[in-house]
Amino acid sequence: MILIATTPLVALCDSSDSQHRAAVRHLDSLLKHEFAICDAVLTEACFHLPHRAERLRLRALLHELSVHPLPMTDEGAFWVEVLDWLAKYADHEPDWADGCLAVLSGRDKALKVWTYDREFRTTWRRPDGKAIPLAV
């Protein structure tokens, strides 16, 4: 399953985004997989897509791809894990959505993260210290 981050989601919904073409190309290659999203990414995407038309594209994209909301178990413990992860990487100033992706990746080893944030390749790791598997 592919856990979609904010950067490709915004790029797919905003044709003026610098990553739009790459996101469309990557989407074509990932269509055989199931997609998931977490609340933090959806919140961040709505912030970056403030216009009605962009949000309608976001809605259509989530529907067309049958994107699954990632269920949260033991949300209180999850928040603590994310806050611990954020503290560990504080020098790099990650945001809440990045922490959620890293922790979710650590909780479900089958998840691959689709992101264009370079820190996922260079710096950030799962809570256990292992690399976060990327979809592209």
Side-chain angles (χ1 to χ4, degrees), residues 74-117:
D74 195 3
E75 200 164 357
F78 177 73
W79 293 343
V80 170
E81 284 182 72
V82 174
L83 288 167
D84 288 346
W85 187 92
L86 290 171
K88 181 176 182 175
Y89 292 97
D91 291 348
H92 300 279
E93 301 179 356
D95 60 34
W96 181 258
D98 296 330
C100 289
L101 294 170
V103 170
L104 288 167
S105 166
R107 283 184 164 197
D108 183 345
K109 306 296 190 233
L111 288 175
K112 290 186 178 183
V113 177
W114 179 12
T115 183
Y116 298 132
D117 291 344

Side-chain angles (χ1 to χ4, degrees), residues 12 19-30 114 116:
L12 289 168
Q19 296 289 337
H20 178 74
R21 285 190 173 149
V24 170
R25 192 173 60 254
H26 291 142
L27 177 61
D28 285 341
S29 70
L30 296 172
W114 179 12
Y116 298 132

